[in-house]
Amino acid sequence: MTLRQGVDATGTEAAGLDNVIEVGGLRQRYGDFEAVRGVSFTVPRGEIFALLGTNGAGKTTTMEVLEGFTPATDGTVRVLGLDPIRHRRELRLRVGIMLQEGGFLGDLTVAETVDLWKGLSEDGGRPVTLSGTTTLPGSFNLMGRVRGVDRRTMGALELVGLESKARTKVRQLSGGQKRKLDLALAVLSAPEVLFLDEPTTGMDPEARRTTWKVIENLRAGGTTVLLTTHYLEEAERLASRLAIMHEGRIHTYGTVEEVVAGSGDTVAFRLAGVTWSFGDLPSLDGTVPTLTYAGGGTEVTYTLTGGRAEARAHAALRPLLKWADERGETLERLAVRRGTLEDAFMRVVGEVR
């Protein structure tokens, strides 16, 4: 699959798979404001797909349409082949949702909250089971240790690391612990599709990594996951593919490797003196450097985006070193750095601005 920018994120490879989520030309308006502007992408079964973007990029709005909370202004949206609005009842039996905020009842204990949600799920026809085809971490090893707490409730709490908080009132939980409780409720019925809107916000690094393991195990068991996140390392760790949204549009998408490769590699060094100009320096693969004058020297940076990602930095060093040798110049603090997901993200934001 070739990385493309500013186009839909369906892709020919994904189109040939069993797509669990399909979005085509989605537009969402609120009065005169268009929050989502022609977004398209697909998510095959068993994949984790990440939506990245700045605040207000349209990520949560896109999720709300997919979750059936609001109808699309225009375009087509399908989850498990069904319209999220017209087939809301059928989808609720097969989909788990973790919103940005759970809206818990603060005076209930953690266990009581799970019991309440479990009862609502079962009344709605959703059997509560955490087994299914997925072996999740801590498979009910602690069930029944807290007197009066249902075994399945303890299994859910153990899954997300809240078993010691079973008797704690929800209002006493930290922000990160409330996010764990959100996740426990979202996976109670072992959903086929899981929507996670910023799932690890407020968690400490250890809790975040524990949550990542839960999500990875769900994916290994066949669950399809669509998540939004502001943590780029989270997307790199979890996602098979990702898209970067800005101002309501998808600007870049692909696998993590493809997106990172598209951000380019950098070659940076320092030259003595402040008399250097663009014309003095070589063009590397058609790239002109940026120059910064400071401390009696010139900081030179090339960003390489052409050619094969695996070889472009190596190819660029040859003419650069030859240029330095011919002039007797020293490339002080010469460094070659592979592009990062942050580079790709900032490039999207910078290009649009």
Side-chain angles (χ1 to χ4, degrees), residues 9-292:
T10 51
T12 55
E13 288 188 17
L17 299 176
D18 182 9
N19 293 320
V20 170
I21 297 172
E22 298 176 289
V23 180
L26 172 62
R27 294 183 178 274
Q28 189 62 37
R29 299 184 186 90
Y30 300 101
D32 294 333
F33 175 66
E34 192 170 34
V36 179
R37 308 175 182 183
V39 164
S40 300
F41 63 90
T42 58
V43 184
R45 186 176 300 278
E47 179 175 278
I48 299 177
F49 190 97
L51 281 178
L52 307 178
T54 54
N55 290 325
K59 306 183 300 298
T60 296
T61 299
T62 300
M63 293 279 276
E64 288 175 347
V65 173
L66 285 164
E67 292 160 350
F69 291 127
T70 184
T73 303
D74 197 9
T76 59
V77 175
R78 295 291 182 270
V79 177
L80 293 166
L82 302 174
D83 184 298
I85 296 293
R86 290 169 46 215
H87 302 100
R88 187 180 304 169
R89 182 179 296 273
E90 297 96 313
L91 283 174
R92 281 183 177 173
L93 302 177
R94 306 168 69 186
V95 171
I97 298 173
M98 182 178 178
L99 303 175
Q100 285 189 20
E101 295 185 12
F104 300 119
L105 299 174
D107 286 331
L108 292 183
T109 67
V110 170
E112 288 169 343
T113 299
V114 175
D115 286 339
L116 174 62
W117 190 259
K118 182 155 53 69
L120 293 173
S121 295
E122 290 174 334
D123 288 345
R126 299 178 62 174
V128 173
T129 170
L130 289 174
S131 55
T133 59
T134 306
T135 302
L136 297 176
S139 302
F140 304 167
N141 293 334
L142 301 181
M143 291 191 303
R145 283 195 179 181
V146 178
R147 180 174 296 178
V149 177
D150 181 80
R151 297 174 67 235
R152 291 174 300 171
T153 296
M154 283 305 297
L157 296 181
E158 184 191 10
L159 171 66
V160 298
L162 283 180
E163 64 276 3
S164 65
K165 300 293 182 180
R167 294 296 193 188
T168 302
K169 290 189 181 297
V170 170
R171 57 180 163 80
Q172 296 176 314
L173 298 179
S174 68
Q177 289 169 337
K178 288 179 181 177
R179 295 306 283 157
K180 289 183 176 182
L181 182 54
D182 272 322
L183 180 60
L185 300 183
V187 303
L188 269 176
S189 299
E192 295 177 54
V193 181
L194 185 59
F195 294 107
L196 303 175
D197 199 353
E198 300 184 18
T200 62
T201 297
M203 292 185 184
D204 61 49
E206 181 182 6
R208 185 174 297 138
R209 280 162 176 75
T210 299
T211 301
W212 291 351
K213 291 178 182 177
V214 173
I215 296 171
E216 287 171 334
N217 282 332
L218 287 165
R219 187 264 307 273
T223 301
T224 303
V225 180
L226 177 63
L227 68 88
T228 71
T229 181
H230 285 295
Y231 298 117
L232 300 183
E233 72 274 20
E234 185 163 280
E236 287 189 281
R237 164 72 179 265
L238 295 175
S240 306
R241 291 184 302 140
L242 59 86
I244 300 177
M245 293 185 68
H246 188 55
E247 297 182 346
R249 295 186 174 91
I250 289 178
H251 291 267
T252 302
Y253 80 96
T255 66
V256 174
E257 292 76 15
E258 290 167 343
V259 171
V260 168
S263 70
D265 301 325
T266 60
V267 176
F269 55 90
R270 185 179 186 275
L271 292 172
V274 294
T275 60
W276 297 97
S277 65
F278 295 113
D280 298 323
L281 295 161
S283 171
L284 303 183
D285 195 27
T287 301
V288 177
T290 59
L291 306 180
T292 304

